[in-house]
Every structure is written in structure tokens, then in C-alpha cells.
Amino acid sequence: MSVENEAHEELNQEAQENQTQENEAQDNNEQEQQEAASEANSDEFRDKFVRLYAEFENYRRRTNQERLDLIASANAGLLKDMLSVLDDFDRAVANNEKLEDIEALREGFKLIQNKFKQILLSKGLKEMEAKGQAFDSDLHEAIANIPAPEEALKGKVVDDVEKGYYLNDKVLRYAKVVVGQ
């Protein structure tokens, strides 16, 4: 019986070894399948990333180009509107070379000035009222201080040297003023 037991043990041992080898082979096969699936998944994510990155780069280039185009043509509307004022000045100079009536000349230039102001107003430009107002460093630039001619003008703007302007309610140019002390 011992030969039989030994043979039986050998068979059991061989069967266990075969089972272990089969399990290892199956584990290796599963691991290879997982690696292949993981690699395929990684390739898919890499492809998505590359496509998304390329799409973002195209978006960035397109918006930069649109911004450059907008900046290049931003003043086109204003300049087109101002061409009519330039034409008026050209006509005024040509018609007034031998003009002896100074009053007609003044009237012509006042008309051109009003047209020019209306164009600027339509684009959002407004004059800043400074004279008689309290000095405000957010709106005014003091270029001189003088003794106030009246007590009521102390700390207030006495004179406008250069007008200030708003563009759409933001200060475009600060008023240069003389302040009473």
C-alpha cells in the first residue's frame, strides 16, 4: 500500500502543480487582459486629451485673431463719421479764401464745430463741468492754486485751463484747473 500511497501522493502533487500552473496561467492571462484594457483606456484618454488640447489651441488662436481684428477696426466707425467734418473744413477753406464777410466765416466755423460736437456726443463723449465745482482729484488735475477772489470759491475750481471729458461715464481726460485757496 505504500507504493500505492506514494503513487497517489505523486498524482495529487502533480495535479496540484498542474492546478497551480493553470491558476498562474489564468492569473497571467487575466493580468495581460487587464493591462491591455488599461493600455487601451490610457490610449483613449491620451487621444481625448490631445484632441481637447488642439481644440483649445484653435480657440485661443481664433479669439486672439478676433481681438486683433477688433482693435484694428475699432476706430473705423468714428473716423468714417468724422470724414464729413473734414469735408466741411475743406469746403470752408476753399470758399473763404477771398471772403470779406467775417461774420459769415464765424457762422460757418460754428456750424462745423457743432457738427463735430454732435458726432462726439453720439459716440458717448461728454464734457466735464468743472468751473465752480469743488476740487475733486478723481476728476480734476490742479495746475495752479491762486488766492480765491471770493470766500465761496475756496477749495473750488476757479478756472478751466483745459476741459475734461467723459467717455461713457468714465473719465477720458482729466480737467486741468486752477483752484482757489
Side-chain angles (χ1 to χ4, degrees), residues 17-32:
E17 286 177 10
N18 285 342
Q19 185 67 30
T20 303
Q21 287 175 352
E22 285 177 13
N23 286 344
E24 285 177 5
Q26 190 176 11
D27 286 347
N28 285 341
N29 191 18
E30 286 177 10
Q31 189 175 13
E32 287 173 6

Side-chain angles (χ1 to χ4, degrees), residues 74-134:
N75 293 327
L78 176 64
L79 293 175
K80 183 180 176 189
D81 290 344
M82 290 181 65
L83 287 176
S84 65
V85 175
L86 180 63
D87 293 339
D88 289 345
F89 272 120
D90 289 340
R91 280 190 292 268
V93 169
N95 290 331
N96 294 325
E97 285 181 6
K98 296 181 182 177
L99 185 68
E100 293 181 19
D101 184 10
I102 300 298
E103 193 57 40
L105 182 66
R106 284 188 189 137
E107 184 66 29
F109 280 108
K110 283 183 183 179
L111 289 172
I112 294 172
Q113 181 188 27
N114 286 337
K115 184 176 186 177
F116 184 66
K117 281 185 176 182
Q118 290 304 315
I119 289 171
L120 294 177
L121 281 173
S122 72
K123 300 297 180 184
L125 188 75
K126 290 190 300 188
E127 285 185 12
M128 187 183 294
E129 285 295 324
K131 197 169 187 177
Q133 302 291 322

Side-chain angles (χ1 to χ4, degrees), residues 8 34 36 39-40 42 56 58-59 90-91 102 118-120 125-126 130-131 139 158 164 170:
H8 196 319
Q34 286 177 349
E39 191 173 314
S42 174
F56 177 73
N58 290 337
Y59 166 76
D90 289 340
R91 280 190 292 268
I102 300 298
Q118 290 304 315
I119 289 171
L120 294 177
L125 188 75
K126 290 190 300 188
K131 197 169 187 177
L139 302 174
V158 176
K170 289 186 179 180

Side-chain angles (χ1 to χ4, degrees), residues 3 6-7 9 23 26 34 42 44 69-71 81 96 117 126 153 160 166 175:
V3 175
E6 283 180 25
E9 271 185 43
N23 286 344
Q26 190 176 11
Q34 286 177 349
S42 174
E44 182 182 335
D69 292 345
L70 181 65
I71 290 169
D81 290 344
N96 294 325
K117 281 185 176 182
K126 290 190 300 188
L153 291 177
D160 264 345
Y166 296 106

